Structures are given as structure tokens and as C-alpha cells.
Amino acid sequence: MNNFGFDRSVFIRLLFGSIAFLPSQILGQQLTLAGNYDGTNYDLSSYDIGRATGYTWAVGASFTVTGTGDFNMTKVIMPLVVYSFSENPNPANYRVSVVNDVGGQPVDTVAGSLTPVSPGPLAANYTFDISGVLHGGMNYWLLFEPIAPDNGCINWNFSYSPIYPGIGYLASRWSSSGVPTGDWTISTGPGSVQPAFIIEGMVVVPEPSSFALIALSFSGLIIRGCLRRTVVKKI
């Protein structure tokens, strides 16, 4: 203790405690921002993405981001399959994207997108890297669509059984000539099972200046607390 009633040992313990505490709160951990299956099990029924039955199809699923604040998307998990290699889809002709929701419709404002791979003949979970900022509590759409003519077809499996009906909306559009465009047909309920997906991300990290301000605030509170708790004795 010094002449000002300041206990250095208490200060040091609290300061190191705050330093250890801050990064875990700011950097956070990998979080599930949205999803409708457990990441392993899914239904073997699927939606056609691309050319099938004389039409070209696109499909999407709505979701609401869990939590509050802003999040950086990191990964999208989806079960995919190609039933026939004779179709030979070209992944460059497809896009997986997360877009904003306006009035219950997917819009062209893209929060993040990626080019998928061409999956194998057996359904499997595929994990893709994706970047973009999502806001907690807001509605978005995960879309899987052809962006150029393609003779192939990629299948996106249903969420595991119809145990999640009504968890979100299903969007679809199709065209008998070329890539489908225009409004999406939106449906929900027991007959409209969403395709399976999980979106992961992390809490947005503050700028270095923000981190410094937070650390400074913690230090100020610690010093203030030490001064209040220490009683100066006069000899």
C-alpha cells in the first residue's frame, strides 16, 4: 500500500484479470447464427438446383439471426448430392448467397456469397467458407441458384424429416427457358420443408481504438475500486 491508500497487489490482480477477460468477450467463439438441422442428419429427399424436369430451378430458405449485435459469417454447412454424373453440373454456373429480406421476399442486396463444389453421387454435408456481416434479430435468406445456363443439376437435401415445418419460409422460382429471375414463390408449413443448412459466425471484433477505450475504462474502474476499498491509516 502506498501513501495514497492504493493497494498495488489488488490493482495488479484485477488488471491481469481484466486483460484475460477482455479478449474472450470481444473475440468470442464460433457461434451458430441460424440453422434447421443438427449438421449431421438430414432427409434424403432434396430440391433440384439447376436443370431438371424441363425447368431450371432455384431454391432458398429464410432464417432469423440468433442473438443481438453484429456477427461475421464464417461458414455455411449444406447437404448436397449429384444423382447422375451424366448431368455433370459446372459449379461455376451456381451461387450460394445470403441476402436481405424485404417484405418476406429475398432481395438482391447480398451479405455474402460463394461458389459451391460439384458434390458426389452420395449425399454428404459440405462446409463452405463465407464472409459478410449479419445483424442479430434480422431476417435473411440463404439462396442456392444457377447464375448461368447449365445442363446439370445439384440437389440440396431437406432438413432432417419434416420436424421443422414452419421454422422458416421456403422460396423457389423456375424457368422453362434460361436462368430463373423475378419474384420468388414463398411458402411455409408442413408441405414446405426447408432445405437443410447451418450458418456459423463470430461476434464482430471492435476496432483497435475501441479496444483501447474499453481497456482504459476497465483500468479506470479498477483503480477507482481499489482507492475506495483501501483505508488510509494515520500513524
Side-chain angles (χ1 to χ4, degrees), residues 58-93:
V59 170
S62 72
F63 64 90
T64 302
V65 177
T66 301
T68 58
D70 294 338
F71 302 89
N72 284 318
M73 287 189 293
T74 55
K75 297 183 182 301
V76 175
I77 304 170
M78 307 163 66
L80 305 174
V81 64
V82 171
Y83 284 114
S84 172
F85 277 120
S86 62
E87 296 174 342
N88 194 27
N90 181 357
N93 294 330

PDB file of all heavy atoms in Angstrom, residues 58-93:
ATOM      1  N   ALA A  58     -34.354 -22.705 -58.798  1.00  0.00           N
ATOM      2  CA  ALA A  58     -33.587 -22.046 -57.740  1.00  0.00           C
ATOM      3  C   ALA A  58     -34.401 -22.136 -56.453  1.00  0.00           C
ATOM      4  O   ALA A  58     -35.628 -22.055 -56.483  1.00  0.00           O
ATOM      5  CB  ALA A  58     -33.312 -20.594 -58.092  1.00  0.00           C
ATOM      6  N   VAL A  59     -33.715 -22.304 -55.327  1.00  0.00           N
ATOM      7  CA  VAL A  59     -34.405 -22.514 -54.048  1.00  0.00           C
ATOM      8  C   VAL A  59     -33.707 -21.698 -52.960  1.00  0.00           C
ATOM      9  O   VAL A  59     -32.489 -21.477 -53.015  1.00  0.00           O
ATOM     10  CB  VAL A  59     -34.423 -24.011 -53.668  1.00  0.00           C
ATOM     11  CG1 VAL A  59     -34.921 -24.221 -52.241  1.00  0.00           C
ATOM     12  CG2 VAL A  59     -35.284 -24.804 -54.643  1.00  0.00           C
ATOM     13  N   GLY A  60     -34.492 -21.271 -51.967  1.00  0.00           N
ATOM     14  CA  GLY A  60     -33.922 -20.540 -50.841  1.00  0.00           C
ATOM     15  C   GLY A  60     -34.653 -20.851 -49.555  1.00  0.00           C
ATOM     16  O   GLY A  60     -35.770 -21.381 -49.563  1.00  0.00           O
ATOM     17  N   ALA A  61     -34.024 -20.526 -48.432  1.00  0.00           N
ATOM     18  CA  ALA A  61     -34.617 -20.741 -47.105  1.00  0.00           C
ATOM     19  C   ALA A  61     -34.418 -19.482 -46.277  1.00  0.00           C
ATOM     20  O   ALA A  61     -33.323 -18.906 -46.247  1.00  0.00           O
ATOM     21  CB  ALA A  61     -33.971 -21.940 -46.420  1.00  0.00           C
ATOM     22  N   SER A  62     -35.467 -19.048 -45.591  1.00  0.00           N
ATOM     23  CA  SER A  62     -35.358 -17.864 -44.744  1.00  0.00           C
ATOM     24  C   SER A  62     -34.842 -18.246 -43.365  1.00  0.00           C
ATOM     25  O   SER A  62     -34.973 -19.391 -42.922  1.00  0.00           O
ATOM     26  CB  SER A  62     -36.716 -17.170 -44.608  1.00  0.00           C
ATOM     27  OG  SER A  62     -37.581 -17.929 -43.779  1.00  0.00           O
ATOM     28  N   PHE A  63     -34.251 -17.273 -42.669  1.00  0.00           N
ATOM     29  CA  PHE A  63     -33.807 -17.504 -41.298  1.00  0.00           C
ATOM     30  C   PHE A  63     -33.689 -16.171 -40.573  1.00  0.00           C
ATOM     31  O   PHE A  63     -33.605 -15.104 -41.186  1.00  0.00           O
ATOM     32  CB  PHE A  63     -32.468 -18.251 -41.262  1.00  0.00           C
ATOM     33  CG  PHE A  63     -31.305 -17.493 -41.851  1.00  0.00           C
ATOM     34  CD1 PHE A  63     -30.511 -16.667 -41.054  1.00  0.00           C
ATOM     35  CD2 PHE A  63     -30.985 -17.610 -43.197  1.00  0.00           C
ATOM     36  CE1 PHE A  63     -29.434 -15.979 -41.588  1.00  0.00           C
ATOM     37  CE2 PHE A  63     -29.910 -16.929 -43.744  1.00  0.00           C
ATOM     38  CZ  PHE A  63     -29.134 -16.106 -42.932  1.00  0.00           C
ATOM     39  N   THR A  64     -33.718 -16.248 -39.254  1.00  0.00           N
ATOM     40  CA  THR A  64     -33.515 -15.088 -38.395  1.00  0.00           C
ATOM     41  C   THR A  64     -32.252 -15.308 -37.585  1.00  0.00           C
ATOM     42  O   THR A  64     -32.070 -16.371 -36.984  1.00  0.00           O
ATOM     43  CB  THR A  64     -34.713 -14.883 -37.438  1.00  0.00           C
ATOM     44  OG1 THR A  64     -35.908 -14.737 -38.216  1.00  0.00           O
ATOM     45  CG2 THR A  64     -34.517 -13.645 -36.581  1.00  0.00           C
ATOM     46  N   VAL A  65     -31.368 -14.331 -37.581  1.00  0.00           N
ATOM     47  CA  VAL A  65     -30.088 -14.471 -36.881  1.00  0.00           C
ATOM     48  C   VAL A  65     -30.318 -14.499 -35.370  1.00  0.00           C
ATOM     49  O   VAL A  65     -30.998 -13.636 -34.816  1.00  0.00           O
ATOM     50  CB  VAL A  65     -29.140 -13.318 -37.243  1.00  0.00           C
ATOM     51  CG1 VAL A  65     -27.826 -13.429 -36.457  1.00  0.00           C
ATOM     52  CG2 VAL A  65     -28.860 -13.324 -38.740  1.00  0.00           C
ATOM     53  N   THR A  66     -29.744 -15.497 -34.719  1.00  0.00           N
ATOM     54  CA  THR A  66     -29.839 -15.631 -33.266  1.00  0.00           C
ATOM     55  C   THR A  66     -28.920 -14.626 -32.578  1.00  0.00           C
ATOM     56  O   THR A  66     -27.796 -14.409 -33.015  1.00  0.00           O
ATOM     57  CB  THR A  66     -29.443 -17.051 -32.839  1.00  0.00           C
ATOM     58  OG1 THR A  66     -30.307 -17.990 -33.478  1.00  0.00           O
ATOM     59  CG2 THR A  66     -29.545 -17.227 -31.339  1.00  0.00           C
ATOM     60  N   GLY A  67     -29.404 -14.026 -31.497  1.00  0.00           N
ATOM     61  CA  GLY A  67     -28.570 -13.132 -30.710  1.00  0.00           C
ATOM     62  C   GLY A  67     -28.767 -11.677 -31.063  1.00  0.00           C
ATOM     63  O   GLY A  67     -29.627 -11.316 -31.883  1.00  0.00           O
ATOM     64  N   THR A  68     -27.955 -10.823 -30.452  1.00  0.00           N
ATOM     65  CA  THR A  68     -28.002  -9.384 -30.699  1.00  0.00           C
ATOM     66  C   THR A  68     -26.618  -8.899 -31.098  1.00  0.00           C
ATOM     67  O   THR A  68     -25.612  -9.561 -30.854  1.00  0.00           O
ATOM     68  CB  THR A  68     -28.464  -8.627 -29.442  1.00  0.00           C
ATOM     69  OG1 THR A  68     -27.561  -8.924 -28.354  1.00  0.00           O
ATOM     70  CG2 THR A  68     -29.877  -9.041 -29.040  1.00  0.00           C
ATOM     71  N   GLY A  69     -26.569  -7.739 -31.717  1.00  0.00           N
ATOM     72  CA  GLY A  69     -25.291  -7.201 -32.167  1.00  0.00           C
ATOM     73  C   GLY A  69     -24.977  -7.661 -33.579  1.00  0.00           C
ATOM     74  O   GLY A  69     -25.824  -8.197 -34.296  1.00  0.00           O
ATOM     75  N   ASP A  70     -23.727  -7.451 -33.994  1.00  0.00           N
ATOM     76  CA  ASP A  70     -23.290  -7.801 -35.342  1.00  0.00           C
ATOM     77  C   ASP A  70     -22.389  -9.038 -35.312  1.00  0.00           C
ATOM     78  O   ASP A  70     -21.634  -9.246 -34.363  1.00  0.00           O
ATOM     79  CB  ASP A  70     -22.514  -6.637 -35.972  1.00  0.00           C
ATOM     80  CG  ASP A  70     -23.407  -5.423 -36.196  1.00  0.00           C
ATOM     81  OD1 ASP A  70     -24.637  -5.610 -36.273  1.00  0.00           O
ATOM     82  OD2 ASP A  70     -22.881  -4.305 -36.298  1.00  0.00           O
ATOM     83  N   PHE A  71     -22.480  -9.834 -36.400  1.00  0.00           N
ATOM     84  CA  PHE A  71     -21.723 -11.078 -36.493  1.00  0.00           C
ATOM     85  C   PHE A  71     -21.055 -11.180 -37.861  1.00  0.00           C
ATOM     86  O   PHE A  71     -21.652 -10.799 -38.876  1.00  0.00           O
ATOM     87  CB  PHE A  71     -22.635 -12.290 -36.297  1.00  0.00           C
ATOM     88  CG  PHE A  71     -23.372 -12.305 -34.990  1.00  0.00           C
ATOM     89  CD1 PHE A  71     -24.610 -11.704 -34.871  1.00  0.00           C
ATOM     90  CD2 PHE A  71     -22.817 -12.901 -33.871  1.00  0.00           C
ATOM     91  CE1 PHE A  71     -25.297 -11.704 -33.668  1.00  0.00           C
ATOM     92  CE2 PHE A  71     -23.490 -12.910 -32.661  1.00  0.00           C
ATOM     93  CZ  PHE A  71     -24.730 -12.310 -32.559  1.00  0.00           C
ATOM     94  N   ASN A  72     -19.839 -11.693 -37.873  1.00  0.00           N
ATOM     95  CA  ASN A  72     -19.156 -12.016 -39.126  1.00  0.00           C
ATOM     96  C   ASN A  72     -19.457 -13.465 -39.490  1.00  0.00           C
ATOM     97  O   ASN A  72     -19.129 -14.369 -38.725  1.00  0.00           O
ATOM     98  CB  ASN A  72     -17.640 -11.845 -38.978  1.00  0.00           C
ATOM     99  CG  ASN A  72     -17.219 -10.390 -38.980  1.00  0.00           C
ATOM    100  OD1 ASN A  72     -17.717  -9.596 -39.769  1.00  0.00           O
ATOM    101  ND2 ASN A  72     -16.301 -10.040 -38.095  1.00  0.00           N
ATOM    102  N   MET A  73     -20.104 -13.677 -40.634  1.00  0.00           N
ATOM    103  CA  MET A  73     -20.300 -15.047 -41.103  1.00  0.00           C
ATOM    104  C   MET A  73     -18.951 -15.685 -41.395  1.00  0.00           C
ATOM    105  O   MET A  73     -18.045 -15.031 -41.898  1.00  0.00           O
ATOM    106  CB  MET A  73     -21.147 -15.071 -42.378  1.00  0.00           C
ATOM    107  CG  MET A  73     -22.596 -14.790 -42.200  1.00  0.00           C
ATOM    108  SD  MET A  73     -23.520 -15.101 -43.738  1.00  0.00           S
ATOM    109  CE  MET A  73     -22.861 -13.818 -44.812  1.00  0.00           C
ATOM    110  N   THR A  74     -18.841 -16.979 -41.104  1.00  0.00           N
ATOM    111  CA  THR A  74     -17.605 -17.710 -41.389  1.00  0.00           C
ATOM    112  C   THR A  74     -17.846 -18.969 -42.221  1.00  0.00           C
ATOM    113  O   THR A  74     -17.061 -19.283 -43.110  1.00  0.00           O
ATOM    114  CB  THR A  74     -16.888 -18.107 -40.088  1.00  0.00           C
ATOM    115  OG1 THR A  74     -17.798 -18.855 -39.260  1.00  0.00           O
ATOM    116  CG2 THR A  74     -16.415 -16.870 -39.335  1.00  0.00           C
ATOM    117  N   LYS A  75     -18.943 -19.693 -41.942  1.00  0.00           N
ATOM    118  CA  LYS A  75     -19.164 -20.969 -42.623  1.00  0.00           C
ATOM    119  C   LYS A  75     -20.644 -21.198 -42.911  1.00  0.00           C
ATOM    120  O   LYS A  75     -21.513 -20.745 -42.164  1.00  0.00           O
ATOM    121  CB  LYS A  75     -18.636 -22.133 -41.774  1.00  0.00           C
ATOM    122  CG  LYS A  75     -17.142 -22.098 -41.532  1.00  0.00           C
ATOM    123  CD  LYS A  75     -16.656 -23.305 -40.758  1.00  0.00           C
ATOM    124  CE  LYS A  75     -15.164 -23.215 -40.479  1.00  0.00           C
ATOM    125  NZ  LYS A  75     -14.359 -23.116 -41.714  1.00  0.00           N
ATOM    126  N   VAL A  76     -20.892 -21.931 -44.003  1.00  0.00           N
ATOM    127  CA  VAL A  76     -22.220 -22.437 -44.336  1.00  0.00           C
ATOM    128  C   VAL A  76     -22.100 -23.943 -44.514  1.00  0.00           C
ATOM    129  O   VAL A  76     -21.199 -24.418 -45.220  1.00  0.00           O
ATOM    130  CB  VAL A  76     -22.775 -21.810 -45.629  1.00  0.00           C
ATOM    131  CG1 VAL A  76     -24.101 -22.451 -46.008  1.00  0.00           C
ATOM    132  CG2 VAL A  76     -22.965 -20.313 -45.458  1.00  0.00           C
ATOM    133  N   ILE A  77     -22.961 -24.695 -43.859  1.00  0.00           N
ATOM    134  CA  ILE A  77     -22.974 -26.158 -43.969  1.00  0.00           C
ATOM    135  C   ILE A  77     -24.260 -26.571 -44.675  1.00  0.00           C
ATOM    136  O   ILE A  77     -25.357 -26.160 -44.271  1.00  0.00           O
ATOM    137  CB  ILE A  77     -22.890 -26.823 -42.589  1.00  0.00           C
ATOM    138  CG1 ILE A  77     -21.641 -26.332 -41.843  1.00  0.00           C
ATOM    139  CG2 ILE A  77     -22.867 -28.345 -42.718  1.00  0.00           C
ATOM    140  CD1 ILE A  77     -21.589 -26.748 -40.391  1.00  0.00           C
ATOM    141  N   MET A  78     -24.139 -27.393 -45.733  1.00  0.00           N
ATOM    142  CA  MET A  78     -25.290 -27.818 -46.528  1.00  0.00           C
ATOM    143  C   MET A  78     -25.089 -29.255 -46.986  1.00  0.00           C
ATOM    144  O   MET A  78     -23.990 -29.618 -47.417  1.00  0.00           O
ATOM    145  CB  MET A  78     -25.446 -26.924 -47.771  1.00  0.00           C
ATOM    146  CG  MET A  78     -25.486 -25.433 -47.494  1.00  0.00           C
ATOM    147  SD  MET A  78     -25.193 -24.430 -48.970  1.00  0.00           S
ATOM    148  CE  MET A  78     -26.648 -24.824 -49.950  1.00  0.00           C
ATOM    149  N   PRO A  79     -26.118 -30.104 -46.927  1.00  0.00           N
ATOM    150  CA  PRO A  79     -26.014 -31.446 -47.512  1.00  0.00           C
ATOM    151  C   PRO A  79     -26.380 -31.398 -48.997  1.00  0.00           C
ATOM    152  O   PRO A  79     -27.457 -30.928 -49.366  1.00  0.00           O
ATOM    153  CB  PRO A  79     -27.035 -32.258 -46.707  1.00  0.00           C
ATOM    154  CG  PRO A  79     -28.059 -31.248 -46.265  1.00  0.00           C
ATOM    155  CD  PRO A  79     -27.369 -29.935 -46.150  1.00  0.00           C
ATOM    156  N   LEU A  80     -25.463 -31.890 -49.851  1.00  0.00           N
ATOM    157  CA  LEU A  80     -25.645 -31.819 -51.300  1.00  0.00           C
ATOM    158  C   LEU A  80     -25.347 -33.175 -51.940  1.00  0.00           C
ATOM    159  O   LEU A  80     -24.662 -34.014 -51.368  1.00  0.00           O
ATOM    160  CB  LEU A  80     -24.717 -30.764 -51.908  1.00  0.00           C
ATOM    161  CG  LEU A  80     -24.789 -29.336 -51.345  1.00  0.00           C
ATOM    162  CD1 LEU A  80     -23.695 -28.479 -51.966  1.00  0.00           C
ATOM    163  CD2 LEU A  80     -26.162 -28.731 -51.588  1.00  0.00           C
ATOM    164  N   VAL A  81     -25.848 -33.356 -53.164  1.00  0.00           N
ATOM    165  CA  VAL A  81     -25.613 -34.596 -53.903  1.00  0.00           C
ATOM    166  C   VAL A  81     -25.868 -34.349 -55.379  1.00  0.00           C
ATOM    167  O   VAL A  81     -26.647 -33.454 -55.746  1.00  0.00           O
ATOM    168  CB  VAL A  81     -26.539 -35.734 -53.377  1.00  0.00           C
ATOM    169  CG1 VAL A  81     -28.005 -35.410 -53.608  1.00  0.00           C
ATOM    170  CG2 VAL A  81     -26.174 -37.078 -54.004  1.00  0.00           C
ATOM    171  N   VAL A  82     -25.182 -35.111 -56.239  1.00  0.00           N
ATOM    172  CA  VAL A  82     -25.500 -35.172 -57.668  1.00  0.00           C
ATOM    173  C   VAL A  82     -25.854 -36.620 -57.966  1.00  0.00           C
ATOM    174  O   VAL A  82     -25.022 -37.510 -57.808  1.00  0.00           O
ATOM    175  CB  VAL A  82     -24.317 -34.719 -58.548  1.00  0.00           C
ATOM    176  CG1 VAL A  82     -24.598 -35.007 -60.013  1.00  0.00           C
ATOM    177  CG2 VAL A  82     -24.057 -33.231 -58.367  1.00  0.00           C
ATOM    178  N   TYR A  83     -27.091 -36.853 -58.350  1.00  0.00           N
ATOM    179  CA  TYR A  83     -27.559 -38.227 -58.511  1.00  0.00           C
ATOM    180  C   TYR A  83     -27.011 -38.901 -59.757  1.00  0.00           C
ATOM    181  O   TYR A  83     -26.904 -40.116 -59.822  1.00  0.00           O
ATOM    182  CB  TYR A  83     -29.087 -38.261 -58.528  1.00  0.00           C
ATOM    183  CG  TYR A  83     -29.690 -38.083 -57.155  1.00  0.00           C
ATOM    184  CD1 TYR A  83     -30.441 -36.963 -56.838  1.00  0.00           C
ATOM    185  CD2 TYR A  83     -29.488 -39.034 -56.158  1.00  0.00           C
ATOM    186  CE1 TYR A  83     -30.985 -36.801 -55.569  1.00  0.00           C
ATOM    187  CE2 TYR A  83     -30.022 -38.876 -54.891  1.00  0.00           C
ATOM    188  CZ  TYR A  83     -30.776 -37.764 -54.604  1.00  0.00           C
ATOM    189  OH  TYR A  83     -31.301 -37.597 -53.346  1.00  0.00           O
ATOM    190  N   SER A  84     -26.670 -38.126 -60.766  1.00  0.00           N
ATOM    191  CA  SER A  84     -26.179 -38.724 -62.006  1.00  0.00           C
ATOM    192  C   SER A  84     -25.021 -37.899 -62.541  1.00  0.00           C
ATOM    193  O   SER A  84     -25.165 -36.696 -62.785  1.00  0.00           O
ATOM    194  CB  SER A  84     -27.295 -38.786 -63.058  1.00  0.00           C
ATOM    195  OG  SER A  84     -26.781 -39.190 -64.294  1.00  0.00           O
ATOM    196  N   PHE A  85     -23.853 -38.555 -62.716  1.00  0.00           N
ATOM    197  CA  PHE A  85     -22.699 -37.832 -63.237  1.00  0.00           C
ATOM    198  C   PHE A  85     -22.879 -37.475 -64.710  1.00  0.00           C
ATOM    199  O   PHE A  85     -22.147 -36.661 -65.256  1.00  0.00           O
ATOM    200  CB  PHE A  85     -21.429 -38.663 -63.060  1.00  0.00           C
ATOM    201  CG  PHE A  85     -20.828 -38.529 -61.698  1.00  0.00           C
ATOM    202  CD1 PHE A  85     -20.670 -39.638 -60.890  1.00  0.00           C
ATOM    203  CD2 PHE A  85     -20.438 -37.301 -61.219  1.00  0.00           C
ATOM    204  CE1 PHE A  85     -20.120 -39.526 -59.624  1.00  0.00           C
ATOM    205  CE2 PHE A  85     -19.879 -37.176 -59.955  1.00  0.00           C
ATOM    206  CZ  PHE A  85     -19.721 -38.286 -59.155  1.00  0.00           C
ATOM    207  N   SER A  86     -23.880 -38.088 -65.367  1.00  0.00           N
ATOM    208  CA  SER A  86     -24.150 -37.729 -66.762  1.00  0.00           C
ATOM    209  C   SER A  86     -24.632 -36.286 -66.858  1.00  0.00           C
ATOM    210  O   SER A  86     -24.532 -35.646 -67.900  1.00  0.00           O
ATOM    211  CB  SER A  86     -25.196 -38.666 -67.365  1.00  0.00           C
ATOM    212  OG  SER A  86     -26.428 -38.559 -66.667  1.00  0.00           O
ATOM    213  N   GLU A  87     -25.163 -35.766 -65.716  1.00  0.00           N
ATOM    214  CA  GLU A  87     -25.612 -34.377 -65.724  1.00  0.00           C
ATOM    215  C   GLU A  87     -24.427 -33.424 -65.691  1.00  0.00           C
ATOM    216  O   GLU A  87     -24.465 -32.353 -66.272  1.00  0.00           O
ATOM    217  CB  GLU A  87     -26.519 -34.127 -64.512  1.00  0.00           C
ATOM    218  CG  GLU A  87     -27.809 -34.935 -64.555  1.00  0.00           C
ATOM    219  CD  GLU A  87     -28.614 -34.782 -63.270  1.00  0.00           C
ATOM    220  OE1 GLU A  87     -28.034 -34.345 -62.253  1.00  0.00           O
ATOM    221  OE2 GLU A  87     -29.805 -35.098 -63.294  1.00  0.00           O
ATOM    222  N   ASN A  88     -23.358 -33.802 -64.940  1.00  0.00           N
ATOM    223  CA  ASN A  88     -22.105 -33.060 -64.918  1.00  0.00           C
ATOM    224  C   ASN A  88     -22.298 -31.555 -64.725  1.00  0.00           C
ATOM    225  O   ASN A  88     -21.926 -30.744 -65.572  1.00  0.00           O
ATOM    226  CB  ASN A  88     -21.340 -33.317 -66.224  1.00  0.00           C
ATOM    227  CG  ASN A  88     -19.893 -32.864 -66.111  1.00  0.00           C
ATOM    228  OD1 ASN A  88     -19.331 -32.844 -65.020  1.00  0.00           O
ATOM    229  ND2 ASN A  88     -19.308 -32.500 -67.242  1.00  0.00           N
ATOM    230  N   PRO A  89     -22.855 -31.118 -63.602  1.00  0.00           N
ATOM    231  CA  PRO A  89     -23.029 -29.681 -63.376  1.00  0.00           C
ATOM    232  C   PRO A  89     -21.691 -28.970 -63.202  1.00  0.00           C
ATOM    233  O   PRO A  89     -20.744 -29.526 -62.646  1.00  0.00           O
ATOM    234  CB  PRO A  89     -23.848 -29.632 -62.083  1.00  0.00           C
ATOM    235  CG  PRO A  89     -23.522 -30.905 -61.375  1.00  0.00           C
ATOM    236  CD  PRO A  89     -23.327 -31.920 -62.450  1.00  0.00           C
ATOM    237  N   ASN A  90     -21.608 -27.752 -63.684  1.00  0.00           N
ATOM    238  CA  ASN A  90     -20.413 -26.934 -63.536  1.00  0.00           C
ATOM    239  C   ASN A  90     -20.615 -25.979 -62.357  1.00  0.00           C
ATOM    240  O   ASN A  90     -21.457 -25.080 -62.434  1.00  0.00           O
ATOM    241  CB  ASN A  90     -20.162 -26.143 -64.821  1.00  0.00           C
ATOM    242  CG  ASN A  90     -18.910 -25.286 -64.730  1.00  0.00           C
ATOM    243  OD1 ASN A  90     -18.249 -25.229 -63.702  1.00  0.00           O
ATOM    244  ND2 ASN A  90     -18.587 -24.612 -65.823  1.00  0.00           N
ATOM    245  N   PRO A  91     -19.868 -26.141 -61.261  1.00  0.00           N
ATOM    246  CA  PRO A  91     -20.099 -25.299 -60.081  1.00  0.00           C
ATOM    247  C   PRO A  91     -20.000 -23.802 -60.363  1.00  0.00           C
ATOM    248  O   PRO A  91     -20.626 -22.993 -59.673  1.00  0.00           O
ATOM    249  CB  PRO A  91     -18.997 -25.742 -59.112  1.00  0.00           C
ATOM    250  CG  PRO A  91     -18.654 -27.131 -59.537  1.00  0.00           C
ATOM    251  CD  PRO A  91     -18.821 -27.148 -61.020  1.00  0.00           C
ATOM    252  N   ALA A  92     -19.198 -23.428 -61.376  1.00  0.00           N
ATOM    253  CA  ALA A  92     -19.044 -22.007 -61.706  1.00  0.00           C
ATOM    254  C   ALA A  92     -20.352 -21.376 -62.159  1.00  0.00           C
ATOM    255  O   ALA A  92     -20.489 -20.147 -62.159  1.00  0.00           O
ATOM    256  CB  ALA A  92     -17.977 -21.831 -62.782  1.00  0.00           C
ATOM    257  N   ASN A  93     -21.319 -22.206 -62.548  1.00  0.00           N
ATOM    258  CA  ASN A  93     -22.616 -21.693 -63.010  1.00  0.00           C
ATOM    259  C   ASN A  93     -23.631 -21.556 -61.874  1.00  0.00           C
ATOM    260  O   ASN A  93     -24.809 -21.263 -62.126  1.00  0.00           O
ATOM    261  CB  ASN A  93     -23.202 -22.608 -64.090  1.00  0.00           C
ATOM    262  CG  ASN A  93     -22.372 -22.592 -65.363  1.00  0.00           C
ATOM    263  OD1 ASN A  93     -21.750 -21.589 -65.684  1.00  0.00           O
ATOM    264  ND2 ASN A  93     -22.364 -23.708 -66.080  1.00  0.00           N
TER     265      ASN A  93
END
